[in-house]
Amino acid sequence: MARPDKSAAVAELTDKFRSSNAAVLTEYRGLTVAQLKTLRRSLGENAQYAVVKNTLTKIAAGEAGITLADELFAGPTAVAFVTGDPVESAKGLRDFAKENPNLIIKGGVLDGKAMSADEIKKLADLESREVLLSKLAGAMKGKQSQAASLFQALPTKLVRTADALRAKLAEQGGAE
């Protein structure tokens, strides 16, 4: 029979998996409490970093409908539950891991899809959502300006052509 404290922990982890956009599993062996505190701050406001028990986390992931490889649950494990922009948190983890080689990114989940450590590092290389949206808006604005110029040029060209035709006809009429 399951102990109530373990059942509560599984229920809490299941809720975190369901409510998160992404979850990144890491190994934190060799990190000090101060380093973990720094890591939590570097992840941003939209992420929670929690040290978890492997067995309970695996059960919670299964209950949330997420299938993760067994090797992700070897050694001391902590999970970064991301509720906001996963790129920002992935960058925070990557940058912290560069400075502190004891932090190992094992893998994770993005929108219910399992990801390897390499895929998470590629995610960290992306620009943030806000930057991508602003680039898209800038490109769209540029295309709209081009279209407006094109549409404005058509009537202007038509008027110039009509004036040139009228002048030519006036010359021919005046020369006869």
mmCIF file of all heavy atoms in Angstrom, residues 66-116:
data_model
loop_
_atom_site.group_PDB
_atom_site.id
_atom_site.type_symbol
_atom_site.label_atom_id
_atom_site.label_comp_id
_atom_site.label_asym_id
_atom_site.label_seq_id
_atom_site.Cartn_x
_atom_site.Cartn_y
_atom_site.Cartn_z
ATOM 1 N N ILE A 66 3.306 11.094 -20.091
ATOM 2 C CA ILE A 66 4.622 11.371 -20.681
ATOM 3 C C ILE A 66 5.494 10.134 -20.537
ATOM 4 O O ILE A 66 5.626 9.578 -19.455
ATOM 5 C CB ILE A 66 5.282 12.574 -19.976
ATOM 6 C CG1 ILE A 66 4.424 13.821 -20.160
ATOM 7 C CG2 ILE A 66 6.692 12.792 -20.490
ATOM 8 C CD1 ILE A 66 4.823 14.977 -19.286
ATOM 9 N N THR A 67 6.093 9.711 -21.638
ATOM 10 C CA THR A 67 6.987 8.558 -21.618
ATOM 11 C C THR A 67 8.425 9.050 -21.718
ATOM 12 O O THR A 67 8.795 9.710 -22.686
ATOM 13 C CB THR A 67 6.691 7.613 -22.808
ATOM 14 O OG1 THR A 67 5.305 7.266 -22.764
ATOM 15 C CG2 THR A 67 7.533 6.364 -22.726
ATOM 16 N N LEU A 68 9.205 8.745 -20.696
ATOM 17 C CA LEU A 68 10.612 9.135 -20.667
ATOM 18 C C LEU A 68 11.483 7.895 -20.553
ATOM 19 O O LEU A 68 11.095 6.903 -19.941
ATOM 20 C CB LEU A 68 10.884 10.075 -19.486
ATOM 21 C CG LEU A 68 10.199 11.434 -19.551
ATOM 22 C CD1 LEU A 68 10.344 12.181 -18.234
ATOM 23 C CD2 LEU A 68 10.785 12.264 -20.669
ATOM 24 N N ALA A 69 12.671 7.964 -21.128
ATOM 25 C CA ALA A 69 13.601 6.833 -21.097
ATOM 26 C C ALA A 69 14.071 6.566 -19.666
ATOM 27 O O ALA A 69 14.225 7.495 -18.862
ATOM 28 C CB ALA A 69 14.793 7.135 -21.991
ATOM 29 N N ASP A 70 14.296 5.288 -19.366
ATOM 30 C CA ASP A 70 14.716 4.892 -18.018
ATOM 31 C C ASP A 70 16.052 5.495 -17.615
ATOM 32 O O ASP A 70 16.280 5.774 -16.437
ATOM 33 C CB ASP A 70 14.787 3.360 -17.915
ATOM 34 C CG ASP A 70 13.409 2.723 -17.940
ATOM 35 O OD1 ASP A 70 12.419 3.423 -17.633
ATOM 36 O OD2 ASP A 70 13.323 1.519 -18.263
ATOM 37 N N GLU A 71 16.954 5.702 -18.584
ATOM 38 C CA GLU A 71 18.279 6.224 -18.231
ATOM 39 C C GLU A 71 18.232 7.662 -17.717
ATOM 40 O O GLU A 71 19.180 8.133 -17.102
ATOM 41 C CB GLU A 71 19.266 6.110 -19.402
ATOM 42 C CG GLU A 71 18.897 6.876 -20.639
ATOM 43 C CD GLU A 71 18.163 6.024 -21.677
ATOM 44 O OE1 GLU A 71 17.794 4.882 -21.382
ATOM 45 O OE2 GLU A 71 17.949 6.530 -22.779
ATOM 46 N N LEU A 72 17.138 8.365 -17.940
ATOM 47 C CA LEU A 72 17.000 9.719 -17.405
ATOM 48 C C LEU A 72 16.827 9.714 -15.893
ATOM 49 O O LEU A 72 17.035 10.728 -15.238
ATOM 50 C CB LEU A 72 15.810 10.440 -18.046
ATOM 51 C CG LEU A 72 15.887 10.718 -19.547
ATOM 52 C CD1 LEU A 72 14.619 11.402 -20.024
ATOM 53 C CD2 LEU A 72 17.102 11.549 -19.889
ATOM 54 N N PHE A 73 16.454 8.564 -15.356
ATOM 55 C CA PHE A 73 16.181 8.464 -13.921
ATOM 56 C C PHE A 73 17.302 7.765 -13.167
ATOM 57 O O PHE A 73 17.073 7.113 -12.163
ATOM 58 C CB PHE A 73 14.845 7.749 -13.699
ATOM 59 C CG PHE A 73 13.686 8.484 -14.309
ATOM 60 C CD1 PHE A 73 13.144 8.068 -15.513
ATOM 61 C CD2 PHE A 73 13.160 9.607 -13.711
ATOM 62 C CE1 PHE A 73 12.091 8.742 -16.088
ATOM 63 C CE2 PHE A 73 12.111 10.298 -14.288
ATOM 64 C CZ PHE A 73 11.574 9.859 -15.472
ATOM 65 N N ALA A 74 18.524 7.890 -13.649
ATOM 66 C CA ALA A 74 19.691 7.323 -12.976
ATOM 67 C C ALA A 74 20.444 8.447 -12.284
ATOM 68 O O ALA A 74 20.618 9.520 -12.853
ATOM 69 C CB ALA A 74 20.587 6.612 -13.978
ATOM 70 N N GLY A 75 20.887 8.210 -11.073
ATOM 71 C CA GLY A 75 21.638 9.220 -10.338
ATOM 72 C C GLY A 75 20.731 10.264 -9.725
ATOM 73 O O GLY A 75 19.505 10.228 -9.867
ATOM 74 N N PRO A 76 21.322 11.230 -9.024
ATOM 75 C CA PRO A 76 20.514 12.289 -8.409
ATOM 76 C C PRO A 76 19.884 13.172 -9.490
ATOM 77 O O PRO A 76 20.574 13.650 -10.381
ATOM 78 C CB PRO A 76 21.522 13.067 -7.563
ATOM 79 C CG PRO A 76 22.851 12.727 -8.119
ATOM 80 C CD PRO A 76 22.744 11.376 -8.751
ATOM 81 N N THR A 77 18.579 13.340 -9.392
ATOM 82 C CA THR A 77 17.836 14.027 -10.444
ATOM 83 C C THR A 77 17.107 15.250 -9.893
ATOM 84 O O THR A 77 16.548 15.211 -8.797
ATOM 85 C CB THR A 77 16.808 13.073 -11.092
ATOM 86 O OG1 THR A 77 17.503 11.920 -11.580
ATOM 87 C CG2 THR A 77 16.075 13.725 -12.237
ATOM 88 N N ALA A 78 17.122 16.298 -10.696
ATOM 89 C CA ALA A 78 16.321 17.486 -10.423
ATOM 90 C C ALA A 78 15.621 17.852 -11.726
ATOM 91 O O ALA A 78 16.138 17.589 -12.810
ATOM 92 C CB ALA A 78 17.191 18.635 -9.941
ATOM 93 N N VAL A 79 14.437 18.436 -11.593
ATOM 94 C CA VAL A 79 13.646 18.776 -12.771
ATOM 95 C C VAL A 79 13.352 20.271 -12.770
ATOM 96 O O VAL A 79 12.960 20.836 -11.756
ATOM 97 C CB VAL A 79 12.314 17.988 -12.798
ATOM 98 C CG1 VAL A 79 11.517 18.323 -14.043
ATOM 99 C CG2 VAL A 79 12.551 16.503 -12.704
ATOM 100 N N ALA A 80 13.550 20.874 -13.936
ATOM 101 C CA ALA A 80 13.152 22.264 -14.142
ATOM 102 C C ALA A 80 11.798 22.232 -14.847
ATOM 103 O O ALA A 80 11.711 21.822 -16.002
ATOM 104 C CB ALA A 80 14.185 23.005 -14.977
ATOM 105 N N PHE A 81 10.748 22.609 -14.134
ATOM 106 C CA PHE A 81 9.401 22.673 -14.711
ATOM 107 C C PHE A 81 9.212 24.087 -15.264
ATOM 108 O O PHE A 81 9.250 25.063 -14.529
ATOM 109 C CB PHE A 81 8.341 22.375 -13.657
ATOM 110 C CG PHE A 81 8.366 20.958 -13.159
ATOM 111 C CD1 PHE A 81 8.937 20.645 -11.938
ATOM 112 C CD2 PHE A 81 7.815 19.932 -13.917
ATOM 113 C CE1 PHE A 81 8.958 19.340 -11.481
ATOM 114 C CE2 PHE A 81 7.833 18.623 -13.464
ATOM 115 C CZ PHE A 81 8.412 18.325 -12.245
ATOM 116 N N VAL A 82 8.988 24.189 -16.570
ATOM 117 C CA VAL A 82 8.902 25.479 -17.252
ATOM 118 C C VAL A 82 7.454 25.762 -17.634
ATOM 119 O O VAL A 82 6.848 24.993 -18.374
ATOM 120 C CB VAL A 82 9.788 25.479 -18.523
ATOM 121 C CG1 VAL A 82 9.755 26.843 -19.189
ATOM 122 C CG2 VAL A 82 11.204 25.057 -18.197
ATOM 123 N N THR A 83 6.924 26.886 -17.150
ATOM 124 C CA THR A 83 5.551 27.264 -17.486
ATOM 125 C C THR A 83 5.515 28.384 -18.520
ATOM 126 O O THR A 83 4.478 28.646 -19.095
ATOM 127 C CB THR A 83 4.783 27.717 -16.228
ATOM 128 O OG1 THR A 83 5.522 28.755 -15.587
ATOM 129 C CG2 THR A 83 4.580 26.558 -15.271
ATOM 130 N N GLY A 84 6.620 29.031 -18.750
ATOM 131 C CA GLY A 84 6.674 30.124 -19.725
ATOM 132 C C GLY A 84 7.441 29.718 -20.966
ATOM 133 O O GLY A 84 7.244 28.641 -21.515
ATOM 134 N N ASP A 85 8.335 30.592 -21.395
ATOM 135 C CA ASP A 85 9.131 30.374 -22.598
ATOM 136 C C ASP A 85 10.205 29.320 -22.326
ATOM 137 O O ASP A 85 11.122 29.560 -21.539
ATOM 138 C CB ASP A 85 9.778 31.693 -23.023
ATOM 139 C CG ASP A 85 10.531 31.596 -24.333
ATOM 140 O OD1 ASP A 85 10.392 30.568 -25.029
ATOM 141 O OD2 ASP A 85 11.245 32.554 -24.674
ATOM 142 N N PRO A 86 10.110 28.148 -22.965
ATOM 143 C CA PRO A 86 11.102 27.103 -22.709
ATOM 144 C C PRO A 86 12.500 27.464 -23.207
ATOM 145 O O PRO A 86 13.494 26.967 -22.687
ATOM 146 C CB PRO A 86 10.560 25.877 -23.442
ATOM 147 C CG PRO A 86 9.492 26.354 -24.329
ATOM 148 C CD PRO A 86 9.060 27.704 -23.867
ATOM 149 N N VAL A 87 12.591 28.351 -24.184
ATOM 150 C CA VAL A 87 13.900 28.746 -24.716
ATOM 151 C C VAL A 87 14.697 29.480 -23.639
ATOM 152 O O VAL A 87 15.888 29.237 -23.446
ATOM 153 C CB VAL A 87 13.744 29.616 -25.983
ATOM 154 C CG1 VAL A 87 15.084 30.159 -26.445
ATOM 155 C CG2 VAL A 87 13.073 28.820 -27.086
ATOM 156 N N GLU A 88 14.041 30.368 -22.920
ATOM 157 C CA GLU A 88 14.707 31.142 -21.868
ATOM 158 C C GLU A 88 15.278 30.217 -20.791
ATOM 159 O O GLU A 88 16.437 30.360 -20.379
ATOM 160 C CB GLU A 88 13.710 32.126 -21.248
ATOM 161 C CG GLU A 88 14.275 32.938 -20.107
ATOM 162 C CD GLU A 88 13.225 33.809 -19.429
ATOM 163 O OE1 GLU A 88 12.131 34.002 -20.003
ATOM 164 O OE2 GLU A 88 13.500 34.294 -18.326
ATOM 165 N N SER A 89 14.494 29.250 -20.371
ATOM 166 C CA SER A 89 14.953 28.322 -19.337
ATOM 167 C C SER A 89 16.047 27.399 -19.858
ATOM 168 O O SER A 89 17.000 27.089 -19.146
ATOM 169 C CB SER A 89 13.782 27.500 -18.805
ATOM 170 O OG SER A 89 12.840 28.355 -18.197
ATOM 171 N N ALA A 90 15.921 26.964 -21.104
ATOM 172 C CA ALA A 90 16.961 26.112 -21.692
ATOM 173 C C ALA A 90 18.280 26.880 -21.785
ATOM 174 O O ALA A 90 19.350 26.308 -21.524
ATOM 175 C CB ALA A 90 16.522 25.627 -23.076
ATOM 176 N N LYS A 91 18.206 28.168 -22.118
ATOM 177 C CA LYS A 91 19.419 28.992 -22.157
ATOM 178 C C LYS A 91 20.020 29.116 -20.762
ATOM 179 O O LYS A 91 21.239 29.054 -20.593
ATOM 180 C CB LYS A 91 19.110 30.382 -22.707
ATOM 181 C CG LYS A 91 18.934 30.408 -24.195
ATOM 182 C CD LYS A 91 18.683 31.806 -24.688
ATOM 183 C CE LYS A 91 18.404 31.731 -26.174
ATOM 184 N NZ LYS A 91 18.457 32.992 -26.839
ATOM 185 N N GLY A 92 19.174 29.314 -19.761
ATOM 186 C CA GLY A 92 19.660 29.418 -18.390
ATOM 187 C C GLY A 92 20.372 28.145 -17.950
ATOM 188 O O GLY A 92 21.450 28.199 -17.343
ATOM 189 N N LEU A 93 19.796 26.996 -18.275
ATOM 190 C CA LEU A 93 20.428 25.722 -17.931
ATOM 191 C C LEU A 93 21.743 25.533 -18.682
ATOM 192 O O LEU A 93 22.754 25.126 -18.108
ATOM 193 C CB LEU A 93 19.483 24.555 -18.237
ATOM 194 C CG LEU A 93 18.336 24.339 -17.258
ATOM 195 C CD1 LEU A 93 17.328 23.371 -17.830
ATOM 196 C CD2 LEU A 93 18.858 23.839 -15.928
ATOM 197 N N ARG A 94 21.735 25.823 -19.987
ATOM 198 C CA ARG A 94 22.944 25.662 -20.795
ATOM 199 C C ARG A 94 24.074 26.550 -20.292
ATOM 200 O O ARG A 94 25.208 26.101 -20.110
ATOM 201 C CB ARG A 94 22.642 25.988 -22.252
ATOM 202 C CG ARG A 94 23.869 25.853 -23.157
ATOM 203 C CD ARG A 94 23.734 26.606 -24.443
ATOM 204 N NE ARG A 94 23.478 28.027 -24.185
ATOM 205 C CZ ARG A 94 23.024 28.862 -25.084
ATOM 206 N NH1 ARG A 94 22.741 28.468 -26.294
ATOM 207 N NH2 ARG A 94 22.818 30.130 -24.788
ATOM 208 N N ASP A 95 23.759 27.815 -20.037
ATOM 209 C CA ASP A 95 24.780 28.757 -19.585
ATOM 210 C C ASP A 95 25.320 28.364 -18.208
ATOM 211 O O ASP A 95 26.525 28.451 -17.963
ATOM 212 C CB ASP A 95 24.224 30.179 -19.562
ATOM 213 C CG ASP A 95 23.869 30.692 -20.956
ATOM 214 O OD1 ASP A 95 24.322 30.078 -21.949
ATOM 215 O OD2 ASP A 95 23.128 31.690 -21.040
ATOM 216 N N PHE A 96 24.427 27.925 -17.320
ATOM 217 C CA PHE A 96 24.870 27.501 -15.995
ATOM 218 C C PHE A 96 25.748 26.256 -16.093
ATOM 219 O O PHE A 96 26.747 26.136 -15.395
ATOM 220 C CB PHE A 96 23.662 27.228 -15.084
ATOM 221 C CG PHE A 96 24.052 26.950 -13.664
ATOM 222 C CD1 PHE A 96 24.249 27.990 -12.771
ATOM 223 C CD2 PHE A 96 24.235 25.654 -13.219
ATOM 224 C CE1 PHE A 96 24.626 27.742 -11.458
ATOM 225 C CE2 PHE A 96 24.609 25.395 -11.916
ATOM 226 C CZ PHE A 96 24.804 26.448 -11.029
ATOM 227 N N ALA A 97 25.384 25.332 -16.988
ATOM 228 C CA ALA A 97 26.161 24.101 -17.164
ATOM 229 C C ALA A 97 27.547 24.394 -17.730
ATOM 230 O O ALA A 97 28.503 23.679 -17.428
ATOM 231 C CB ALA A 97 25.408 23.124 -18.064
ATOM 232 N N LYS A 98 27.680 25.451 -18.547
ATOM 233 C CA LYS A 98 28.999 25.830 -19.068
ATOM 234 C C LYS A 98 29.918 26.277 -17.935
ATOM 235 O O LYS A 98 31.096 25.959 -17.907
ATOM 236 C CB LYS A 98 28.865 26.963 -20.095
ATOM 237 C CG LYS A 98 28.395 26.503 -21.445
ATOM 238 C CD LYS A 98 28.315 27.679 -22.397
ATOM 239 C CE LYS A 98 27.748 27.261 -23.744
ATOM 240 N NZ LYS A 98 27.573 28.413 -24.651
ATOM 241 N N GLU A 99 29.355 27.042 -17.000
ATOM 242 C CA GLU A 99 30.139 27.549 -15.875
ATOM 243 C C GLU A 99 30.333 26.490 -14.789
ATOM 244 O O GLU A 99 31.300 26.545 -14.040
ATOM 245 C CB GLU A 99 29.452 28.774 -15.267
ATOM 246 C CG GLU A 99 29.355 29.953 -16.203
ATOM 247 C CD GLU A 99 28.508 31.073 -15.650
ATOM 248 O OE1 GLU A 99 28.206 31.057 -14.430
ATOM 249 O OE2 GLU A 99 28.131 31.967 -16.425
ATOM 250 N N ASN A 100 29.385 25.569 -14.678
ATOM 251 C CA ASN A 100 29.415 24.536 -13.633
ATOM 252 C C ASN A 100 29.250 23.168 -14.283
ATOM 253 O O ASN A 100 28.129 22.682 -14.446
ATOM 254 C CB ASN A 100 28.274 24.772 -12.629
ATOM 255 C CG ASN A 100 28.379 26.125 -11.974
ATOM 256 O OD1 ASN A 100 29.181 26.328 -11.097
ATOM 257 N ND2 ASN A 100 27.566 27.069 -12.438
ATOM 258 N N PRO A 101 30.349 22.522 -14.647
ATOM 259 C CA PRO A 101 30.265 21.248 -15.372
ATOM 260 C C PRO A 101 29.624 20.111 -14.569
ATOM 261 O O PRO A 101 29.321 19.068 -15.132
ATOM 262 C CB PRO A 101 31.716 20.933 -15.721
ATOM 263 C CG PRO A 101 32.554 21.856 -14.927
ATOM 264 C CD PRO A 101 31.707 22.976 -14.463
ATOM 265 N N ASN A 102 29.393 20.321 -13.286
ATOM 266 C CA ASN A 102 28.724 19.287 -12.485
ATOM 267 C C ASN A 102 27.238 19.168 -12.834
ATOM 268 O O ASN A 102 26.619 18.152 -12.537
ATOM 269 C CB ASN A 102 28.874 19.561 -10.990
ATOM 270 C CG ASN A 102 30.278 19.285 -10.506
ATOM 271 O OD1 ASN A 102 31.009 18.503 -11.110
ATOM 272 N ND2 ASN A 102 30.672 19.930 -9.421
ATOM 273 N N LEU A 103 26.661 20.201 -13.430
ATOM 274 C CA LEU A 103 25.263 20.128 -13.859
ATOM 275 C C LEU A 103 25.222 19.448 -15.219
ATOM 276 O O LEU A 103 25.832 19.907 -16.181
ATOM 277 C CB LEU A 103 24.625 21.511 -13.965
ATOM 278 C CG LEU A 103 23.162 21.483 -14.413
ATOM 279 C CD1 LEU A 103 22.271 20.997 -13.278
ATOM 280 C CD2 LEU A 103 22.708 22.839 -14.876
ATOM 281 N N ILE A 104 24.515 18.344 -15.292
ATOM 282 C CA ILE A 104 24.401 17.585 -16.530
ATOM 283 C C ILE A 104 22.942 17.579 -16.967
ATOM 284 O O ILE A 104 22.067 17.159 -16.204
ATOM 285 C CB ILE A 104 24.902 16.141 -16.338
ATOM 286 C CG1 ILE A 104 26.373 16.159 -15.930
ATOM 287 C CG2 ILE A 104 24.703 15.329 -17.609
ATOM 288 C CD1 ILE A 104 26.884 14.829 -15.443
ATOM 289 N N ILE A 105 22.689 18.054 -18.171
ATOM 290 C CA ILE A 105 21.338 18.015 -18.720
ATOM 291 C C ILE A 105 21.129 16.628 -19.299
ATOM 292 O O ILE A 105 21.844 16.205 -20.197
ATOM 293 C CB ILE A 105 21.147 19.106 -19.797
ATOM 294 C CG1 ILE A 105 21.338 20.485 -19.164
ATOM 295 C CG2 ILE A 105 19.775 18.986 -20.448
ATOM 296 C CD1 ILE A 105 21.364 21.626 -20.157
ATOM 297 N N LYS A 106 20.140 15.907 -18.766
ATOM 298 C CA LYS A 106 19.889 14.524 -19.188
ATOM 299 C C LYS A 106 18.923 14.451 -20.363
ATOM 300 O O LYS A 106 19.087 13.633 -21.260
ATOM 301 C CB LYS A 106 19.293 13.721 -18.032
ATOM 302 C CG LYS A 106 20.181 13.572 -16.827
ATOM 303 C CD LYS A 106 19.413 12.768 -15.791
ATOM 304 C CE LYS A 106 20.172 12.510 -14.536
ATOM 305 N NZ LYS A 106 19.408 11.695 -13.597
ATOM 306 N N GLY A 107 17.905 15.261 -20.335
ATOM 307 C CA GLY A 107 16.852 15.220 -21.347
ATOM 308 C C GLY A 107 15.626 15.919 -20.804
ATOM 309 O O GLY A 107 15.690 16.586 -19.778
ATOM 310 N N GLY A 108 14.507 15.729 -21.466
ATOM 311 C CA GLY A 108 13.303 16.366 -20.974
ATOM 312 C C GLY A 108 12.112 16.179 -21.870
ATOM 313 O O GLY A 108 12.081 15.277 -22.712
ATOM 314 N N VAL A 109 11.152 17.070 -21.684
ATOM 315 C CA VAL A 109 9.884 17.008 -22.401
ATOM 316 C C VAL A 109 9.509 18.423 -22.823
ATOM 317 O O VAL A 109 9.657 19.364 -22.059
ATOM 318 C CB VAL A 109 8.772 16.464 -21.471
ATOM 319 C CG1 VAL A 109 7.438 16.426 -22.180
ATOM 320 C CG2 VAL A 109 9.117 15.113 -20.926
ATOM 321 N N LEU A 110 9.047 18.562 -24.071
ATOM 322 C CA LEU A 110 8.527 19.841 -24.558
ATOM 323 C C LEU A 110 7.173 19.578 -25.175
ATOM 324 O O LEU A 110 7.067 18.826 -26.145
ATOM 325 C CB LEU A 110 9.480 20.464 -25.583
ATOM 326 C CG LEU A 110 9.014 21.766 -26.237
ATOM 327 C CD1 LEU A 110 8.886 22.862 -25.179
ATOM 328 C CD2 LEU A 110 9.962 22.207 -27.318
ATOM 329 N N ASP A 111 6.139 20.158 -24.603
ATOM 330 C CA ASP A 111 4.758 19.967 -25.065
ATOM 331 C C ASP A 111 4.408 18.492 -25.222
ATOM 332 O O ASP A 111 3.825 18.083 -26.229
ATOM 333 C CB ASP A 111 4.525 20.715 -26.374
ATOM 334 C CG ASP A 111 4.597 22.225 -26.188
ATOM 335 O OD1 ASP A 111 4.222 22.706 -25.105
ATOM 336 O OD2 ASP A 111 5.013 22.921 -27.129
ATOM 337 N N GLY A 112 4.802 17.678 -24.244
ATOM 338 C CA GLY A 112 4.456 16.259 -24.243
ATOM 339 C C GLY A 112 5.375 15.376 -25.073
ATOM 340 O O GLY A 112 5.225 14.161 -25.082
ATOM 341 N N LYS A 113 6.344 15.964 -25.785
ATOM 342 C CA LYS A 113 7.266 15.191 -26.625
ATOM 343 C C LYS A 113 8.612 15.079 -25.931
ATOM 344 O O LYS A 113 9.189 16.083 -25.510
ATOM 345 C CB LYS A 113 7.436 15.882 -27.973
ATOM 346 C CG LYS A 113 8.365 15.146 -28.928
ATOM 347 C CD LYS A 113 8.651 16.001 -30.161
ATOM 348 C CE LYS A 113 9.694 15.387 -31.050
ATOM 349 N NZ LYS A 113 11.045 15.494 -30.545
ATOM 350 N N ALA A 114 9.124 13.855 -25.827
ATOM 351 C CA ALA A 114 10.415 13.630 -25.191
ATOM 352 C C ALA A 114 11.530 14.254 -26.017
ATOM 353 O O ALA A 114 11.491 14.243 -27.247
ATOM 354 C CB ALA A 114 10.664 12.138 -25.014
ATOM 355 N N MET A 115 12.513 14.825 -25.325
ATOM 356 C CA MET A 115 13.652 15.458 -25.989
ATOM 357 C C MET A 115 14.948 14.944 -25.376
ATOM 358 O O MET A 115 15.025 14.732 -24.166
ATOM 359 C CB MET A 115 13.587 16.979 -25.822
ATOM 360 C CG MET A 115 12.404 17.632 -26.480
ATOM 361 S SD MET A 115 12.408 19.413 -26.244
ATOM 362 C CE MET A 115 13.708 19.891 -27.344
ATOM 363 N N SER A 116 15.959 14.812 -26.213
ATOM 364 C CA SER A 116 17.277 14.414 -25.727
ATOM 365 C C SER A 116 18.016 15.654 -25.214
ATOM 366 O O SER A 116 17.578 16.789 -25.427
ATOM 367 C CB SER A 116 18.081 13.758 -26.847
ATOM 368 O OG SER A 116 18.402 14.730 -27.823
#
